[in-house]
């Protein structure tokens, strides 16, 4: 997959079918839009932003997907071109300028897909009705994709964040169409786990990433092409006094040193809330009990 981070880098020799959107979580609704431009006879492409536009417009937002995981997911879906540009570089363009200067002149779009609530151009003045008019005038096929639904509600990044903050990682995964998780570097911890016979890996939550309900989860850990089951505490480790949120995972059936490596974590069932223990021995015994639960929950996933 070719990745273009600025429009100046774009030099295409073929026509494209382009999915438009922020695609901040790549949930089932986003996937419907993207899948609609695959197999159209043109080079399947995604035009999105390197950061969620809501961050530029409204301040901080919490991401559901790291850039690295977004890239790998889109590649797995069959996307050939990813245009991931800075929102500030295009936000001053009028709707017509965005359509002609970018979609027509730069991307050579022959098919365009978007959700039914898509907005574009300066101050988000352009809507689907205007996009339909511009496409008709320029002999471009427009696909307006209805939202994905679950339990009578439109799947949205907001609903997924709410599920995660309630500890319902399984519901979040169903709306995402894949397990919730992230890829990040393993960092050196205080190594107290080794002293009680339960060595763990520590991964800080990516900057700006959504913070799920603090607690213990059943997880799958992907290391070097292999997958392992594990039990993970997401939070601040109150027993040993760490104050920056991170994921600390004890990995079953694994021995090795992965410090400095990037490891993918998939978060499944919530087991219990985070809590402080009076001693490391109590913590060790609880981790062992949690591990039994985690392994049962994950037995059909590995």
């Amino acid at each position: 997959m070719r990745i273009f981070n600025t429009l100046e880098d774009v030099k295409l020799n073929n026509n494209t079918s382009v999915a438009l959107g922020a695609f901040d979580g790549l949930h089932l609704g986003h996937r419907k839009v993207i899948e609609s431009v695959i197999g159209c006879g043109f080079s399947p492409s995604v035009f999105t932003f390197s950061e969620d536009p809501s961050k530029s417009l409204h301040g901080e937002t919490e991401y559901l997907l790291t850039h690295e995981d977004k890239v790998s997911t889109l590649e797995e879906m069959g996307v050939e071109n990813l245009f991931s540009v800075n929102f500030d570089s295009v936000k001053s363009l009028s709707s017509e300028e965005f359509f002609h200067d970018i979609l027509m002149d730069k991307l050579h779009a022959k098919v365009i897909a978007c959700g039914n609530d898509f907005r574009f151009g300066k101050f988000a003045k352009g809507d689907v009705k205007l996009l339909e008019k511009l496409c008709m005038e320029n002999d471009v096929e427009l696909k307006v994709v209805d939202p994905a639904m679950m339990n009578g509600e439109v799947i949205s990044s907001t609903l997924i964040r709410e599920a995660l903050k309630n500890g319902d990682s399984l519901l979040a995964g169903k709306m995402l169409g894949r397990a919730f998780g992230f890829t990040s570097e393993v960092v050196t911890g205080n190594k107290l786990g080794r002293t009680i016979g339960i060595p763990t890996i520590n991964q800080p939550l990516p900057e700006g990433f959504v913070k799920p309900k603090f607690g213990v989860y059943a997880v799958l850990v992907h290391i070097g092409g292999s997958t392992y089951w594990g039990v993970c505490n997401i939070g601040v480790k109150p027993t040993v006094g760490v104050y920056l949120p991170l994921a600390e995972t004890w990995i079953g059936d694994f021995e090795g040193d992965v410090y400095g490596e990037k490891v993918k974590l998939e978060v499944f069932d919530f087991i219990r809330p985070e809590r402080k223990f009076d001693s490391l021995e109590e913590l060790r015994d609880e981790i062992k009990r949690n591990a039994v639960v985690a392994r049962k929950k994950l037995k059909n996933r590995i």
Side-chain angles (χ1 to χ4, degrees):
M1 182 171 71
R2 294 182 293 178
I3 301 173
F4 302 92
N5 294 314
T6 69
L7 294 172
E8 287 73 21
D9 295 337
V10 178
K11 291 181 177 60
L12 299 180
N13 296 318
N14 55 347
N15 295 324
T16 63
S17 50
V18 185
L20 304 176
F23 304 131
D24 56 328
L26 285 185
H27 55 61
L28 287 176
H30 296 153
R31 294 174 75 96
K32 281 182 66 177
V33 176
I34 295 166
E35 287 166 356
S36 73
V37 303
I38 296 173
C40 294
F42 304 106
S43 182
S45 307
V46 167
F47 183 93
T48 188
F49 302 106
S50 53
E51 288 188 334
D52 189 339
S54 62
K55 181 176 181 180
S56 175
L57 296 171
H58 309 299
E60 290 299 318
T61 187
E62 291 185 312
Y63 298 108
L64 291 169
L65 195 66
T66 65
H67 178 72
E68 180 176 356
D69 288 332
K70 177 183 280 191
V71 167
S72 62
T73 301
L74 290 173
E75 193 163 26
E76 289 170 4
M77 292 178 67
V79 173
E80 294 179 0
N81 304 299
L82 171 59
F83 306 97
S84 181
V85 304
N86 187 293
F87 176 68
D88 290 341
S89 68
V90 299
K91 69 179 183 180
S92 62
L93 295 177
S94 70
S95 302
E96 290 78 8
E97 286 172 333
F98 176 81
F99 183 86
H100 289 289
D101 296 353
I102 296 178
L103 298 180
M104 295 293 95
D105 295 346
K106 287 284 187 179
L107 274 56
H108 309 313
K110 290 296 183 182
V111 177
I112 293 173
C114 64
N116 59 11
D117 60 350
F118 179 70
R119 310 287 301 195
F120 65 108
K122 189 175 182 179
F123 303 129
K125 287 186 176 181
D127 58 9
V128 168
K129 187 175 181 179
L130 175 59
L131 184 58
E132 183 177 31
K133 175 179 178 291
L134 292 169
C135 285
M136 289 183 63
E137 292 173 350
N138 291 272
D139 194 27
V140 174
E141 180 184 357
L142 175 63
K143 297 185 177 187
V144 180
V145 180
D146 291 331
M149 308 288 292
M150 185 170 290
N151 300 327
E153 291 189 276
V154 174
I155 292 174
S156 68
S157 297
T158 298
L159 277 183
I160 295 169
R161 291 186 188 99
E162 289 176 359
L164 291 168
K165 290 180 184 298
N166 289 329
D168 199 341
S169 48
L170 285 177
L171 175 60
K174 288 178 181 177
M175 290 190 284
L176 286 166
R178 64 180 188 284
F180 166 73
F182 59 88
T183 300
S184 72
E185 184 177 340
V186 176
V187 301
T188 303
N190 51 28
K191 300 185 179 180
L192 288 177
R194 296 176 182 272
T195 68
I196 55 176
I198 303 179
T200 59
I201 65 170
N202 291 275
Q203 296 170 276
L205 296 186
E207 185 178 354
F209 201 68
V210 63
K211 295 179 181 62
K213 182 177 181 179
F214 286 175
V216 175
Y217 294 81
V219 300
L220 291 182
V221 188
H222 300 274
I223 301 173
S226 298
T227 302
Y228 304 88
W229 67 273
V231 58
C232 174
N233 185 88
I234 297 179
V236 293
K237 301 203 294 185
T239 302
V240 297
V242 174
Y243 301 103
L244 292 176
L246 54 76
E248 182 183 26
T249 308
W250 178 67
I251 308 171
D253 304 323
F254 175 78
E255 293 182 4
D257 183 353
V258 291
Y259 289 126
E261 294 185 25
K262 286 194 172 183
V263 169
K264 183 174 182 179
L265 200 67
E266 290 185 301
V267 181
F268 290 94
D269 292 34
F270 182 82
I271 296 175
R272 65 165 175 83
E274 187 176 48
R275 69 176 188 265
K276 185 176 181 177
F277 294 90
D278 293 331
S279 69
L280 290 177
E281 288 70 29
E282 283 186 26
L283 174 61
R284 175 199 61 204
D285 294 341
E286 180 66 14
I287 292 174
K288 288 182 177 180
R289 286 190 289 268
N290 297 156
V292 172
V293 175
R295 189 163 196 175
K296 287 181 180 178
K297 289 180 177 292
L298 296 166
K299 65 179 180 180
N300 295 323
R301 299 184 185 273
I302 191 170

